[in-house]
């Protein structure tokens, strides 16, 4: 913090569903997060990540082209300090563990409420 | 063949979807078995192919009116055909993905295929299909589960 103003952190949203991308953008209420872009698959996400250098990423797992688990690994290789919240319907524990082992920092299961999304993002940012 | 406890996973997933996504409970009727391969479909259907430990399909099918109101409840102002198709696929994907909590990681789900305006194109079930009737507000929809 400088002069009481929050440090703005850049957020990238990755999901193959347009309505989920829009919902995350609309529902996240954290003042210091600024959405810098959205991608609909892992390959697009890697390209967008290189261009926009986000600090925080929400990441779907089941996507065409490149899935979310592989994408998490690519993004962490580009910036080991990036904070990644996986937002996925895949509710088994093994998948969450795999995502965390690849470098994700948190896991939010779909479906989610606005409150659950914001709590998960707050918890993620507390690691920054 | 689907066991009763396995069917319960999909019933619970359906109830959870409505309660969490739009904070408005849906009523789920008694599941019933269809053996003629024609469980029926509404105007929009999101189909998930299942592979790995189990094989088959799961689909969520609903009329446009229901999907439009669901979008509105999510504060989504764009109820274009593209977004309606996106939603029906996302509901099918979410309920199927949640089922991995009970079925495990080897219950592999495809990305959704959406069939719109041509309900007769929804794939016929090759195995016995269980239909879970869903009532939400004044609307009716179905989740169809066909697993070997």
């Amino acid at each position: 913090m400088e002069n009481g103003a929050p440090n703005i952190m850049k957020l990238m949203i990755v999901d193959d569903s347009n309505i989920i991308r829009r919902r995350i953008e609309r529902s996240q209420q954290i003042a210091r997060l600024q959405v810098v872009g959205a991608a609909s698959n892992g390959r697009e996400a890697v390209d967008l990540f290189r261009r926009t250098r986000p600090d925080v990423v929400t990441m779907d797992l089941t996507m065409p082209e490149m899935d979310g688990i592989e994408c998490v690994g690519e993004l962490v290789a580009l910036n080991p300090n990036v904070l990644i919240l996986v937002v996925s319907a895949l509710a088994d524990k093994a998948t969450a563990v795999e995502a965390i082992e690849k470098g994700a920092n948190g896991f939010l299961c779909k479906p989610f409420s606005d409150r659950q999304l914001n709590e998960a993002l707050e918890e993620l940012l507390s690691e920054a | 063949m689907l066991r009763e406890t396995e069917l319960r996973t999909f019933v619970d997933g359906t109830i959870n979807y409505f309660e969490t996504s739009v904070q408005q409970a849906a009523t789920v009727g008694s599941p019933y078995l269809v053996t003629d391969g024609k469980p029926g479909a509404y105007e929009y259907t999101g189909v998930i192919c299942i592979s790995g430990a189990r094989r088959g399909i799961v689909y969520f099918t609903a009329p446009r009116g229901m999907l439009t109101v669901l979008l509105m409840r999510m504060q989504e102002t764009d109820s274009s055909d593209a977004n309606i198709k996106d939603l029906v696929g996302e509901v099918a994907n979410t309920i199927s993905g949640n089922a991995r909590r009970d079925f495990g990681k080897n219950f592999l789900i495809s990305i959704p295929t959406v069939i719109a305006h041509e309900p007769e194109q929804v794939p016929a079930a090759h195995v016995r299909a269980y239909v879970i009737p869903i009532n939400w507000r004044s609307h009716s929809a179905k989740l169809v589960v066909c697993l070997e």
Side-chain angles (χ1 to χ4, degrees):
Chain A
M1 290 244 192
E2 287 178 14
N3 303 323
N7 292 320
I8 296 298
M9 298 180 83
K10 295 189 284 186
L11 170 66
M12 178 173 85
I13 300 166
V14 186
D15 201 299
D16 62 343
S17 163
N18 179 50
I19 55 171
I20 296 294
R21 295 194 300 271
R22 284 167 57 96
R23 181 163 184 201
I24 292 173
E25 179 165 10
R26 198 170 49 240
S27 301
Q28 79 81 13
Q29 301 290 326
I30 297 168
R32 61 184 163 136
L33 278 182
Q34 180 183 55
V35 177
V36 291
S40 62
N41 64 57
R43 206 167 301 285
E44 261 184 35
V46 173
D47 290 343
L48 187 63
F49 190 90
R50 289 180 200 276
R51 283 186 278 119
T52 60
R53 292 285 165 186
D55 307 291
V56 181
V57 175
T58 66
M59 175 69 67
D60 187 17
L61 293 184
T62 308
M63 295 183 293
E65 303 281 333
M66 178 194 290
D67 70 29
I69 294 281
E70 186 181 352
C71 188
V72 166
E74 297 249 351
L75 300 191
V76 170
L78 289 169
N79 176 10
N81 296 318
V82 65
L83 295 173
I84 301 176
L85 175 67
V86 171
V87 182
S88 172
L90 302 182
D92 59 293
K93 217 173 265 182
T95 298
V97 169
E98 188 182 0
I100 300 294
E101 283 176 347
K102 278 277 185 181
N105 305 82
F107 196 100
L108 174 65
C109 195
K110 295 178 183 174
F112 56 84
S113 64
D114 291 356
R115 183 179 56 79
Q116 288 167 332
L117 173 68
N118 283 289
E119 284 175 358
L121 286 169
E122 287 284 12
E123 193 177 333
L124 190 78
L125 296 183
S126 70
E127 294 186 19
Chain B
M1 182 70 183
L2 207 57
R3 290 194 297 269
E4 190 182 339
T5 51
E6 293 176 326
L7 193 56
R8 188 76 226 169
T9 292
F10 291 97
V11 170
D12 292 347
T14 302
I15 291 169
N16 181 53
Y17 184 87
F18 285 86
E19 280 182 357
T20 307
S21 282
V22 294
Q23 286 87 51
Q24 207 166 51
T27 307
V28 173
S30 297
Y32 58 90
L33 184 62
V34 172
T35 52
D36 65 358
K38 296 174 186 169
Y42 292 99
E43 190 179 357
Y44 292 86
T45 303
V47 182
I48 304 292
C49 293
I50 308 296
S51 59
R54 304 295 290 267
R55 300 183 70 79
I57 59 170
V58 174
Y59 66 78
F60 172 73
T61 183
R64 184 182 179 95
M66 179 184 197
L67 296 164
T68 303
V69 180
L70 268 173
L71 282 178
M72 289 164 64
R73 288 284 305 175
M74 294 174 177
Q75 317 300 323
E76 175 57 70
T77 53
D78 177 356
S79 55
S80 61
D81 199 56
N83 264 2
I84 295 279
K85 289 196 268 190
D86 189 350
L87 176 61
V88 81
E90 187 63 18
V91 176
N93 173 72
T94 301
I95 296 171
S96 302
N98 286 180
R100 281 174 50 147
R101 188 176 289 124
D102 296 326
F103 285 81
K105 193 185 176 197
N106 289 326
F107 185 79
L108 304 179
I109 67 169
S110 70
I111 57 173
T113 300
V114 173
I115 298 163
H117 316 300
E118 295 177 308
E120 68 282 359
Q121 296 301 316
V122 174
H126 296 297
V127 292
R128 288 147 48 110
Y130 286 90
V131 178
I132 300 171
I134 303 164
N135 296 299
W136 181 69
R137 297 167 68 107
S138 60
H139 305 283
S140 298
K142 297 175 191 174
L143 186 78
V144 177
V145 183
C146 320
L147 292 178
E148 289 175 5

